Amino acid sequence: MNIPASKPPSRFPPAPDAEPEPDAHVSKESASPHLRACIARYQARIPGLADVAAQLQRAASLDALIALYEACYPLLEQAMWSGAADFHPLLASYQSLFREQEALIRQRCKNTQVSDERHHFILAIPVADRPPHLRACLESLYQVCTLFDYGGHASGVWEKIRVIVSEDSRDEANVRRHQELVDEYRKKGLQVVYFGLAEQYELLHALPPQQRERLGHLLTTQPRDAFYLKGQAANRNLSYLKFLQLTEDRERTLYYPIDSDQSLCVNRQTAAGEEAVYALNYFHAIDRIFRSTDTLMLTGKMVGDPPVSPAVMAANFLDDVTAFFTQLAGLRSEAACQFHGAGPVAGDAAYHDMARLFGFDHQPTTYPYPCRLPGAHDHGACLADFSQRLNAFFFGEHLTRKTWFAYGSGFTQLTPARTIYPGNYIVNYAGLKYLIPFGHLRLRMSGPTAGRLIAAEIGHRFASFNMPNLHRRTTEAGLADDFRPGVEVGEASVDLSNEFERQFFGDLMLFSTEELVKHADVNQPFARDVVKAVIAQKEAELLALYQQKHDAIVEKNRQLHALVFDAGHWWLRTPELTDALRHVGAFIDNIDRNFGAHAAAWCQIQSAGHRAERKRQIVEALVNYRAERDAWDSLF
């Protein structure tokens, strides 16, 4: 592929080289003060550090000293995530060890005149009209670079990290805000490349016309004057062209797409509520995995807000909202708020109404609402704040069933993967072939669908690891400053019709693909008759499940309305809660608008004609998958 080379921007002159030091012996006292301090502070509490202390006394080379840090990291991780009261001092020691190790690695490279063999990273952030999310995402990258210093920044920039901000906005004001953020974080030392609409169009049209035509479903066919809101799939795939342009060393470069509503940190439950912490050195761990295994594609999960649409969370969310009002009814308005303290941790996919489809067998239960108000306050104040957050549900925020980080068996233990998390996956150069297809259909569940195909093709070389990103559907800027494809916001209404419709047919494509790869060779074109038969079977199953869910939501919403507005509870007699009740009423109305008997998306799903057209599109996409992949593979 003939893509013109491009150099990353830099505003920092290179630092002068220091005089090389001898490499035969190391002054452990001067070279490793943080390691020595960590051992002295925690040796009695973390027994494994005694072994490290003994090895430190014998270490006579930089290589031996550097290896000791690797022995320390899992010991500190286990102590941190065991519920330690001194989590933050442990975390600070942990971060300082990485920075110190990085300085030693740079010293070794100078002493031996050998380059650092670890991977460079090129990250891509597709963004569409989301400046607050982009800021949070870039800030998280900056914090990870600052606190762990992977690859170092002696030149004034983090030399092994490059970031592409891939524009897909329609609003010119948001385009300018994204560009300003790129400039801001360049000045902080991040090598950020702005990949604007005009450049995307030119890079796409640098491909030969015949090849571009064959890749139209993967890379978009939108015209120059409307080259925006192409969708996250097309925008991400166009970033692959920029990956190729920026790649200087194919053997030592990893590619890392991340969504703008995600941050490179994780959450932990505390008595005061949720806390985001920079406790994972993503780049260090990912580099080690790709250097020590034959992995082609690696994916992490997400913590925080669920990675699914509200279209598949309404039933269990109504259960939790009803449980909140039921408990509230038995409490006094002026009494001290009882909705505090760490509640039970929601299990995997506890937020999903149809978790059994994915192999999770959850027992019916409700989860308590964790009030976020600090300081002394009463139940009236709690209800007022709760009501203001309710409609964030339609943007994907689940107030009661967040996912929390768990250390488990560590960060780098690999398990076979079957789902790509589009906002958190990494590939090497060979792995660039295994992209997420079918973006032109604009269906949800594209990552799980692609994951089934890729797992069938490369098996264990598609792996999952325990380094999730923190997923935030909304920001402190509020819903008014957020864009979410498939969600239309009115003055008092939220319309999920587009997203709900895409969810149903995304499910249909996912479970059809899952069944298809059990019986067909993914390396060969799928037979049209086989694809049609599988889709017909899955359509009947999903229609029955969606009907059950629809009926349950209608009944649960009716019960919630009766509990809040018809049962004579104390909040109806509290004038200060008039606005709060208006918010609750709007939420109930929006549930009915999106999931009730006359909901537009539900009518589309029920329409045989509409389903026939969607099924035709899905059949064509699956039948042509192999040919599109062959065209894509020819780029590499």
Side-chain angles (χ1 to χ4, degrees), residues 453-464:
L453 292 164
I454 293 167
E457 184 171 348
I458 63 175
H460 76 278
R461 302 187 76 181
F462 174 35
S464 177

Side-chain angles (χ1 to χ4, degrees), residues 318-475:
L318 283 168
D319 286 340
D320 293 351
V321 173
T322 300
F324 169 77
F325 275 102
T326 299
Q327 183 178 353
L328 200 63
L331 301 169
R332 291 183 296 112
S333 171
E334 67 278 9
C337 181
Q338 300 296 303
F339 294 91
H340 289 271
V345 175
D348 286 343
Y351 45 74
H352 204 298
D353 287 342
M354 296 182 289
R356 285 187 176 86
L357 279 172
F358 299 88
F360 299 102
D361 189 19
H362 295 308
Q363 297 300 315
T365 187
T366 58
Y367 290 85
Y369 167 67
C371 181
R372 66 176 180 174
L373 294 179
H377 59 276
D378 61 19
H379 292 120
C382 174
L383 173 54
D385 188 61
F386 173 83
S387 70
Q388 292 178 10
R389 302 176 67 192
L390 266 180
N391 280 295
F393 168 79
F394 298 99
F395 282 74
E397 181 179 319
H398 203 304
L399 299 183
T400 52
R401 305 195 190 200
K402 286 184 180 292
T403 304
W404 302 93
F405 176 71
Y407 179 69
S409 301
F411 299 140
T412 57
Q413 182 174 329
L414 302 185
T415 56
R418 64 172 191 165
T419 289
I420 297 174
Y421 287 83
N424 184 11
Y425 72 95
I426 308 97
V427 297
N428 58 15
Y429 188 84
L432 286 172
K433 292 193 299 184
Y434 305 104
L435 82 169
I436 302 177
F438 313 132
H440 66 292
L441 298 182
R442 302 291 185 104
L443 297 179
R444 294 194 58 81
M445 311 306 288
S446 60
T449 301
R452 285 4 181 225
L453 292 164
I454 293 167
E457 184 171 348
I458 63 175
H460 76 278
R461 302 187 76 181
F462 174 35
S464 177
F465 73 141
N466 186 29
M467 290 196 114
N469 295 341
L470 180 57
H471 184 221
R472 295 185 177 103
R473 290 292 197 187
T474 57
T475 68

Side-chain angles (χ1 to χ4, degrees), residues 155-170:
S155 66
V157 299
W158 279 278
E159 295 161 4
K160 286 186 173 290
I161 310 296
R162 211 176 301 179
V163 184
I164 301 167
V165 172
S166 188
E167 185 66 81
D168 202 26
S169 300
R170 178 172 54 190

